[in-house]
Structure formats: structure tokens, C-alpha cells
Amino acid sequence: MSQPLITLDFLDTPALPTPAVDAATHAHEPSGEVRVNPATRTGRQRKLYIESYGCQMNFSDSEIVSSILFEQGFDTTEELEGADLVLLNTCSIREKAEQTVRMRLKQINGHKRRNPGLLVGVLGCMAERLKSKFLEEEKLVDLVVGPDAYRDLPRLIAEVDGGQKAVNVLLSREETYADITPVRLNSNGVSAFISIMRGCDNMCSFCVVPFTRGRERSRDAHSVVQEARDLVAQGYKEVTLLGQNVDSYKWASEDGLESVNFAQLLERVALVSPELRVRFATSHPKDITDEVLYTMARHENICKYIHLPAQSGNSRILKLMNRTYDRPWYEERVLAIRRILGPDCAISTDMISGFCSETEEEHQDTLSLMDFVQYDMAYMFFYSERPGTLAARKLADDVPLEVKKRRLAEIIDRQQQHSALRNQRAVGQVHRVLVENFSKRSQEHLSGRNSQNQVIIFPKKHYQKGDYVDVLVHSSTASTLLGDAV
Ligand code: SAH
Ligand code: SF4
Ligand code: F3S
């Protein structure tokens, strides 16, 4: 089932050198995309319309929410018109992400005027950040629920049904929703996301996530492996293990006899089936171990692609960002990837331009780091101060907006050059592609990705979704590789 994707141009869209498909399949980047869950028509009485913003974590959480509300007699609908309950699963990562939600709430207000029975709820990171203040600021909102409180939705909705407003923004140290089988609403039936941990214990000074998602906790390793097995049984061919910082995954059984780190979890999932591709995100440069890299090297079905956000190429700025690594450390990790996995392992990054007090020279260091790594892909942003973060409290947001934007344009430009180089290198080679869908433009072409996460399009012939196909790439566009099955 392909999900309806609405991409609105006023969104917090990072300038991507890669197409929307990449963004949609990318593990957990705030891609500026809005997702509306498709309809489930099982004759349930009430209709839920849920729209998700931000990163893959949110998209995955919406599947958990849908699962919980399915049990409560809600089908999902793709149309706001006719819905009984509208939920917006929101993102706070940059100011613009929040503005988008506010604008959307204004539109929904219009619907509510026509249909006064409509219930409106706000979920996710903005709910957590603003808490009950939301109810004061946005009068039409009935329900505010933070990311660790979704199990409480049935009770909260009952309160709202009774005419009250309801709020639960308690964060938890244990909740991982391990026992809830998500309703796979956002999937193409080939690849799925498995959330392996929640929260974040890092305190990057620019970042709101530790405040909105709470403390880091790892999900029971057995439930992760079981979910992968179930997906394989349903015909899925690819899973992406998700967490803000997967390398710090650490789970121990209650009796303390069994303990599993990320490399070990990755191996267990890879062993579920040789036909199952395994991806993961996000890796943190301070935590990614050689053990993880050797595990990747040992298993053909673990994709050779690492998202390793640098944020900046300058050690002073990295210190101010509280990233806890410096440039030499980051470069060493990149060399370790090259040493253990060879030149074919793709590496991507996130970069922020114009962080507090960043000088022109320090910005040049970001460009030179990009030259050093030659990233395959990047998500690039200008710094947006977030209330309550370390940077907002301690550092002046003193780089003028035009300067931030100009530096960002230079970063994007550099990335485009590197992406073009990467595409050129791929031409003339045979790539194993996992077919995910028809190409967006034509039903005669299929679209899929190689191990390095590059999108490849080729004539359909007799191939189908879910097949592994060897494709000889003959040319490329800015974002996509084109080829023929061999
Ligand atoms: N856990 C991931 C990042 C999640 S947020 C990691 O540690 O890499 C995704 C990206 O949004 C970040 O990597 C960062 O590049 C960007 N970002 C986060 N806060 C931001 C802010 N205040 N302004 C601009 N970009 C920000
Ligand atoms: Fe934010 Fe840093 Fe945690 Fe990533 S690791 S979610 S950037 S605090
Ligand atoms: Fe994700 Fe945005 Fe929250 S990026 S974790 S939804 S702040």
C-alpha cells in the first residue's frame, strides 16, 4: 500500500540533494514531509484522521497510536471531512516545523466550525514541549498527548467525549511500546521501520529532542527480533532499526543474565533471514564502534550505508554544540568505516550552518570536512534557536539570518557536487536493487534502492515489488540512477 504523501511547499523542507523518495525512506530525518495515514475500512464506528510531521519516529508512533485506537473502535480515514477525531503528530525540531503545525491548526479550525463535534488532538514533540499551554494558545485543541503517553489515549478520549479537555505529557523511563504491534499504515509492504529505543540522553546544546522525548531507553531485544520475524512472515524484505542514537542501544534481561548491545542486536536481526535487508539510523559519531562496523562487514544483508551526522566540521563549534567529539575524532571514525567496510560504504550527514558565534573560517571547516568525507547525501539546515535548550540559555544566537542562509547555500552547493560525483561513480556498475514500488513517473518502470541507499529506476519487464534485481546503471539524473535489469 503506498501512502498518500502531501508535500506542501511552505514546510520546513531541508534543501535536499536527493528526491522526496529518499527523504521518505530515510530513517529518521525531519524531512519536511507530512504524512496522512491511509484509510482502514473495517466497519469501525468512529473515524480517525492522523497527520504526522517530523521524523520517522513520529511516523512510527502514529502507527502505534492507530493500533491503540483501532482497539477502541476507530478506523483511519484519509479525509479530514467526515473524521470524528483529528490528531496531529507534531515536531519541534526547528521553529518552522512548529509554525507549520500552527497554520494547519488554523485550517482545521475552519472544519471544526462546520462540524462542532470534531475532536482535535495534538500529539508528539510539540505537545510535550508546550504541554497544557497548548490549550490556552490554541482554543480548538481538545487533547494534548506527549510521546510516552499514548497508552492513555482511550481514557483521555473518554474525558474529551465527556466534554472536558485532556492532557497527558508524562515522560517515562520505561515505555517502549514493545508489546504493541503497529498498524503498518505508512509502508509499501516491502520495507518497515522497527523502533528499538526511545528518547535521548545526549545533550546537544541546539537540540530540543531530549526535552520532548525524554530519557533514553532500549526496547527488549527479543521483541525487536520477533517483530522482524513477523515482518518477514508477512513478506517484508527490509527493516530499518530506529533510534536517536542507535549505537548506545543497551538492553539487559531482568535477571541480568543476558545483555545485548547494538552490534549484537544488529547481528540477531540480520540472522532472521538472509533475504531480509537490515538498515539502521541514526549513528552518533561518539558511539559508533568498530564492533558495529565489523558486524556490518560480516553480514551481506546489512546495508552498507551509515548516517553519521557531523553537524559541523570545526572542533570549537562542536564543543559549543556539546557533541562530545572533535573533528579529528570524526575523521578517524570515517577512516575506520573506509578501512573496515571499504570505499563502497555510503556515508551521509546532517549539517547546521550559522550556529552561535560561528565565524567564516569555522564555516569553511564544515566545507572542508565535506570535501574530506565526500558524503553521499546530506540533510542541511540553518540553526534555529529552540527555547529551553542549552544553547538558548547560554549562547547568543548571533549569526545574522542572511549569513546563516548564505552559508547553508554554500553547504548545499558543495553537497550537490559530491552527490553528482557519487552518481557518476555508480554509472557502469551493476547494483542489487530491492524493488519497492513503481517509479513515480511511469507504471512501466520500477523503483528501488541499492545497499548504499541510492534510488535506482529501471524498466519493469517481469519484475515485481519485493524482488531483488541486479541492475546495470547506464545514466543518472541529479537524484536518481537509471538502468536495466541484467
Ligand atoms: N539524533 C540525531 C539527530 C536528530 S534531529 C543525531 O544526533 O544526529 C535531526 C537533525 O536536525 C540534527 O542532526 C540536526 O542537524 C538538526 N537540528 C536539530 N536541532 C536543530 C536546530 N535547533 N536548528 C537547526 N537544525 C537542527
Ligand atoms: Fe538531539 Fe543530539 Fe540527541 Fe541527536 S543526539 S537527538 S542531536 S540531543
Ligand atoms: Fe522527531 Fe521532530 Fe520530535 S525530529 S523526535 S518529531 S522534534
Side-chain angles (χ1 to χ4, degrees):
M1 188 174 7
S2 79
Q3 74 276 9
L5 266 182
I6 308 178
T7 307
L8 304 174
D9 56 10
F10 59 80
L11 285 177
D12 182 28
T13 310
L16 295 174
T18 39
V21 263
D22 254 19
T25 49
H26 187 75
H28 85 267
E29 249 347 91
S31 60
E33 167 201 326
V34 188
R35 287 197 183 180
V36 178
N37 281 346
T40 49
R41 295 188 184 81
T42 62
R44 279 173 166 69
Q45 276 204 332
R46 299 173 86 183
K47 296 265 176 297
L48 160 70
Y49 174 92
I50 177 163
E51 217 170 74
S52 314
Y53 297 79
C55 64
Q56 187 57 48
M57 300 267 170
N58 259 8
F59 301 150
S60 293
D61 280 0
S62 290
E63 297 185 337
I64 287 173
V65 167
S66 301
S67 174
I68 292 169
L69 291 184
F70 197 65
E71 299 294 319
Q72 292 293 308
F74 282 91
D75 266 336
T76 49
T77 166
E78 320 177 329
E79 281 149 38
L80 234 173
E81 217 64 60
D84 303 293
L85 171 64
V86 173
L87 296 177
L88 299 188
N89 196 356
T90 61
C91 174
S92 288
I93 199 83
R94 283 169 291 274
E95 196 182 344
K96 216 165 163 208
E98 293 201 350
Q99 282 166 0
T100 305
V101 168
R102 302 252 190 214
M103 279 199 272
R104 189 61 178 139
L105 282 171
K106 292 217 163 53
Q107 293 169 345
I108 291 169
N109 211 0
H111 284 268
K112 188 150 174 162
R113 266 191 229 111
R114 289 194 293 282
N115 171 13
L118 181 66
L119 304 180
V120 179
V122 177
L123 314 178
C125 291
M126 234 178 132
E128 190 61 50
R129 195 176 82 71
L130 291 161
K131 307 194 167 55
S132 52
K133 256 207 293 189
F134 227 123
L135 298 177
E136 294 151 33
E137 290 175 19
E138 304 282 349
K139 296 284 180 241
L140 83 154
V141 172
D142 303 294
L143 185 69
V144 178
V145 191
D148 286 346
Y150 298 145
R151 275 183 212 271
D152 198 24
L153 271 165
R155 186 187 69 82
L156 296 165
I157 289 172
E159 267 184 33
V160 172
D161 282 339
Q164 314 256 1
K165 302 248 173 186
V167 181
N168 186 345
V169 289
L170 286 177
L171 288 172
S172 156
R173 279 172 178 257
E174 286 96 36
E175 183 62 272
T176 57
Y177 301 110
D179 56 319
I180 296 181
T181 308
V183 178
R184 302 273 169 197
L185 294 164
N186 289 326
S187 175
N188 52 18
V190 177
S191 42
F193 292 86
I194 302 181
S195 183
I196 64 164
M197 55 208 293
R198 296 181 72 83
C200 183
D201 278 354
N202 294 315
M203 272 285 171
C204 302
S205 60
F206 53 79
C207 185
V208 77
V209 171
F211 303 94
T212 62
R213 294 255 155 190
R215 298 302 297 268
E216 181 185 289
R217 65 220 96 121
S218 297
R219 176 176 163 187
D220 183 327
H222 298 286
S223 82
V224 172
V225 173
Q226 191 54 47
E227 191 169 333
R229 284 204 192 106
D230 292 346
L231 285 164
V232 168
Q234 291 163 39
Y236 282 84
K237 293 288 178 64
E238 180 181 273
V239 293
T240 303
L241 308 181
L242 275 186
Q244 293 294 356
N245 177 5
V246 289
D247 305 287
S248 66
Y249 176 91
K250 189 114 200 104
W251 174 80
S253 59
E254 261 166 37
D255 57 14
L257 293 176
E258 191 188 6
S259 136
V260 182
N261 69 14
F262 180 61
Q264 292 159 338
L265 181 75
L266 193 57
E267 179 141 73
R268 287 189 190 189
V269 176
L271 289 171
V272 165
S273 160
E275 282 285 290
L276 181 72
R277 269 188 178 177
V278 186
R279 297 184 186 276
F280 56 89
T282 296
S283 299
H284 196 297
K286 83 172 153 64
D287 294 319
I288 189 167
T289 58
D290 286 358
E291 190 190 357
V292 167
L293 304 178
Y294 283 117
T295 305
M296 291 175 74
R298 269 202 308 279
H299 295 273
E300 155 101 37
N301 61 331
I302 303 180
C303 289
K304 303 302 176 273
Y305 171 68
I306 300 176
H307 186 55
L308 195 68
Q311 314 297 359
S312 164
N314 175 270
S315 294
R316 188 187 75 91
I317 293 293
L318 287 169
K319 192 160 189 3
L320 285 180
M321 287 176 163
N322 203 23
R323 289 289 288 180
T324 67
Y325 53 85
D326 57 10
R327 176 166 180 156
W329 173 278
Y330 187 92
E331 288 186 352
E332 189 284 322
R333 289 291 77 204
V334 169
L335 293 176
I337 293 170
R338 303 272 187 247
R339 189 174 70 238
I340 296 168
L341 291 161
D344 280 344
C345 182
I347 305 178
S348 59
T349 190
D350 296 347
M351 290 294 190
I352 299 177
S353 75
F355 187 64
C356 310
S357 78
E358 184 190 64
T359 66
E360 212 50 46
E361 273 161 9
E362 289 165 339
H363 162 63
Q364 289 298 326
D365 286 343
T366 294
L367 297 176
S368 76
L369 180 66
M370 295 175 78
D371 289 338
F372 176 85
V373 184
Q374 300 217 350
Y375 292 107
D376 293 77
M377 208 264 296
Y379 292 95
M380 298 157 286
F381 316 96
F382 63 78
Y383 174 57
S384 162
E385 187 178 83
R386 309 309 296 131
T389 55
L390 274 172
R393 284 184 278 139
K394 301 251 152 79
L395 304 168
D397 179 13
D398 53 2
V399 177
L401 186 61
E402 321 82 73
V403 176
K404 287 179 181 173
K405 286 189 172 167
R406 195 252 307 144
R407 289 180 189 168
L408 177 61
E410 288 172 16
I411 290 172
I412 291 170
D413 185 62
R414 191 65 54 98
Q415 184 52 44
Q416 276 167 348
Q417 294 169 24
H418 293 153
S419 296
L421 276 179
R422 161 195 86 156
N423 285 349
Q424 278 160 26
R425 275 201 302 272
V427 172
Q429 291 181 354
V430 175
H431 301 253
R432 174 145 290 196
V433 175
L434 171 60
V435 181
E436 284 169 37
N437 241 319
F438 288 109
S439 124
K440 278 194 178 158
R441 300 230 175 92
S442 139
Q443 295 281 307
E444 293 307 308
H445 288 78
L446 294 172
S447 165
R449 279 172 296 148
N450 62 6
S451 173
Q452 289 74 17
N453 213 31
Q454 290 171 288
V455 175
I456 301 183
I457 291 175
F458 63 97
K460 180 174 171 299
K461 297 193 186 140
H462 60 281
Y463 298 106
Q464 298 178 9
K465 213 157 95 161
D467 286 350
Y468 286 103
V469 184
D470 287 328
V471 176
L472 174 62
V473 169
H474 56 64
S475 57
S476 70
T477 67
S479 55
T480 312
L481 302 175
L482 308 171
D484 283 300
V486 292

